[in-house]
Amino acid sequence: MSDTLQLAEQLISRHSLTPQDEGCLEIIGARLARLGFQLEMMRHGDVDNLWARRGDAAPIVCFAGHTDVVPTGPLDKWNSDPFTPTIRDGLLYGRGAADMKGSLAAFVTAIEKFVTANPQHQGSIALLLTSDEEGVAVDGTVRVVETLQQRGERIDYCIVGEPTSVSQCGDTIKNGRRGSLSGVLTVKGVQGHIAYPHLVKNPIHMAAPAIAELAATVWDEGNEYFPPTSWQISNMHGGTGATNVVPGTVEIVFNFRHSTASTTDSLKSRVHAILDKHKLDYDLAWEISGKPYLTPHGDLVDAVSAAIRQVTGISTELSTSGGTSDGRFIADICPQVIELGPLNATIHKLNECVAVADLDTLSDIYHGTLTRLLGK
């Protein structure tokens, strides 16, 4: 049994349902401490966070991830207990195997191998780990980043261990993510009896032309790395429940997934202009859950790509698809952020699993990246 597999099994056996850590950080921290890492626990609310660093010079290479996992779903639908790591047909089963305890184990063993061979390595190695990524994500990575900002600390390169691979370990790197901007729009009308249309103002009817224009608007054309920005309604609520009453308001919940070709301010401004053009009486509350970020070809992308090619023989692809990750917070203090992890086919599903062989492959890729960025 490899060290990476053994550590992955240790972590999977912990019932770390978000936002609980259940001792995962303690297991990882003990191994890092033996390598000379300085450990700093940062607890916020019910969330455990760890900032660990070895070295005090630049550049800083940071590995980032989370110990928390999503709920298991019906236990009787699993082929084995989700918190009892089980190997069948070359696959390691358990909640968090792919998302992302396998990556965490690979982080640690890659660092151990590198530090053993390079005890006087240049620069610094860091880990930023949280137990609040799968949940509301308000007391996790974002809090650690705020603390580092307040202290004037920055990161040069960051690898987030999210499962990014599609068909083969290492075939896809996420070198950016779209931003997420949500709005809750309340259009106001005049409630009344449906049989007296001259005495009411139907907010649904009033909002319809504006909705049509918003849906048809081309917000941007995207760019080399991102698809065009999209605007989608997720929920619409109006009415009193009675069939003979025109509602006084309608609530429309929408979301932008936007590229770096648009800013949050530009999108907000254009939405307000359309609503005002249609002379609506409305309230609009905005929420930014993630800003877009992008890491083009450079030191980090090139180092990771070269390591993947050396270990697997394949040429990796760059992608910005998918939802948000904690990379959106780290990008505030780090100019180069990428995500690389195992296959994502089973994440959040019943019988989540990762190929046993991919754990060591991933560790070797992380080690190769460290060697290229910090080795002598």
Side-chain angles (χ1 to χ4, degrees), residues 176-233:
R177 294 280 191 166
R178 293 177 294 174
S180 179
L181 172 65
S182 297
V184 179
L185 170 65
T186 303
V187 178
K188 304 172 186 177
V190 176
Q191 180 177 318
H193 198 292
I194 204 165
Y196 298 91
H198 59 291
L199 299 178
V200 302
K201 289 184 179 179
N202 192 317
I204 299 175
H205 295 180
M206 295 161 59
I211 292 173
E213 183 170 349
L214 289 165
T217 296
V218 177
W219 304 96
D220 58 51
E221 300 292 342
N223 54 36
E224 177 186 359
Y225 296 100
F226 288 99
T229 291
S230 68
W231 180 86
Q232 294 290 329
I233 291 176

Side-chain angles (χ1 to χ4, degrees), residues 28 32 37 50-52 62-63 107-108 111 125-129:
I28 294 171
L32 296 176
F37 277 79
L50 172 65
W51 172 248
C62 177
F63 294 94
F107 285 167
V108 173
I111 292 169
I125 306 171
L127 280 90
L128 195 170
L129 306 178

Side-chain angles (χ1 to χ4, degrees), residues 27-177:
I27 293 171
I28 294 171
R31 294 179 70 140
L32 296 176
R34 290 196 291 268
L35 298 173
F37 277 79
Q38 298 298 310
L39 308 183
E40 187 175 357
M41 296 299 299
M42 301 183 187
R43 185 170 176 84
H44 295 277
D46 294 327
V47 176
D48 291 303
N49 304 295
L50 172 65
W51 172 248
R53 179 170 173 173
R54 186 183 197 273
D56 55 11
I60 302 175
V61 178
C62 177
F63 294 94
H66 59 90
T67 61
D68 58 321
V69 298
V70 296
T72 62
L75 292 176
D76 60 351
K77 301 296 184 182
W78 283 74
N79 294 331
S80 54
D81 186 286
F83 295 107
T84 301
T86 304
I87 297 175
R88 294 192 302 273
D89 300 322
L91 299 174
L92 172 63
Y93 287 84
R95 177 55 88 217
D99 189 14
M100 56 179 291
K101 292 180 176 180
S103 295
L104 299 184
F107 285 167
V108 173
T109 57
I111 292 169
E112 288 174 335
K113 181 178 179 181
F114 177 77
V115 170
T116 299
N118 303 273
Q120 303 300 320
H121 62 80
Q122 58 184 319
S124 303
I125 306 171
L127 280 90
L128 195 170
L129 306 178
T130 183
S131 65
D132 181 34
E133 196 274 345
E134 298 290 10
V136 293
V138 297
D139 285 324
T141 298
V142 64
R143 296 289 193 186
V144 179
V145 168
E146 288 172 354
T147 299
L148 297 178
Q149 281 180 313
Q150 291 167 3
R151 299 195 311 216
E153 296 184 50
R154 291 182 60 81
I155 298 168
D156 295 287
Y157 311 112
C158 183
I159 300 173
V160 185
E162 290 292 344
T164 60
S165 302
V166 178
S167 300
Q168 182 178 347
C169 185
D171 63 6
T172 305
I173 293 173
K174 300 288 186 181
N175 68 318
R177 294 280 191 166

Side-chain angles (χ1 to χ4, degrees), residues 31 33 54 61 64 73 94 198 205 257 266 270 288 302 321 331 359:
R31 294 179 70 140
R54 186 183 197 273
V61 178
H198 59 291
H205 295 180
R257 290 301 166 104
S266 70
R270 293 178 69 185
I288 302 172
D302 293 347
S321 64
L359 294 173

Side-chain angles (χ1 to χ4, degrees), residues 206 274-282:
M206 295 161 59
I274 291 171
L275 298 176
D276 294 340
K277 170 186 171 184
H278 290 276
K279 297 181 169 51
L280 297 179
D281 183 9
Y282 67 91

